[in-house]
Amino acid sequence: QVQLVESGGGLVQAGGSLRLSCAASGSIFSINAMDWYRQAPGKERELVAGVTSGGRRSYADSVKGRFTISRDNAKNTVYLQMNNLKPEDTAVYYCNAEIATSLLNLRVYWGQGTQVTVSS
């Protein structure tokens, strides 16, 4: 069984920073892409940033230049460094990873979410 556990959310003033972490645990054979999504009240879940197993990174236009995604493959962990936060960044942030538990078993897993609130 595989679990993704996020941490690092909280309340911060506009212009501040937070660092989110998401650690994968369990019977893991390999991890492909690891992504961060967010969902604000009344809105659909959106992709914020992603990083491939090879380290290629991608970002939503709304966070480019402010957020940085990284991963530590030895720890099966993905991070999201969020700087210059804005009130519109307020949302529940979820990590997502494509994880193989064997050569033939590959699926996407989601974390439980962590709340980020940015006050103006």
Side-chain angles (χ1 to χ4, degrees), residues 19-113:
R19 188 191 193 211
L20 306 182
S21 300
C22 173
S25 63
S27 181
I28 297 171
F29 178 74
S30 64
I31 302 178
N32 295 339
M34 301 185 83
D35 305 314
W36 284 98
Y37 285 73
R38 67 186 180 187
Q39 187 166 20
K43 295 188 176 181
E44 293 187 353
R45 191 172 296 189
E46 63 172 353
L47 178 62
V48 175
V51 58
T52 68
S53 56
R56 178 182 294 182
R57 306 174 187 182
S58 59
Y59 299 94
D61 288 342
S62 59
V63 306
K64 281 181 181 177
R66 300 189 297 123
F67 290 11
T68 301
I69 189 170
S70 62
R71 63 190 283 173
D72 184 333
N73 291 328
K75 295 182 178 180
N76 291 334
T77 299
V78 62
Y79 305 95
L80 187 67
Q81 177 66 44
M82 305 184 294
N83 297 328
N84 191 21
L85 282 160
K86 304 176 180 180
E88 51 263 43
D89 295 317
T90 295
V92 178
Y93 284 70
Y94 299 90
C95 72
N96 163 299
E98 188 177 59
I99 297 175
T101 53
S102 70
L103 284 173
L104 301 177
N105 192 347
L106 177 70
R107 55 158 285 195
V108 171
Y109 293 83
W110 289 89
Q112 81 286 357

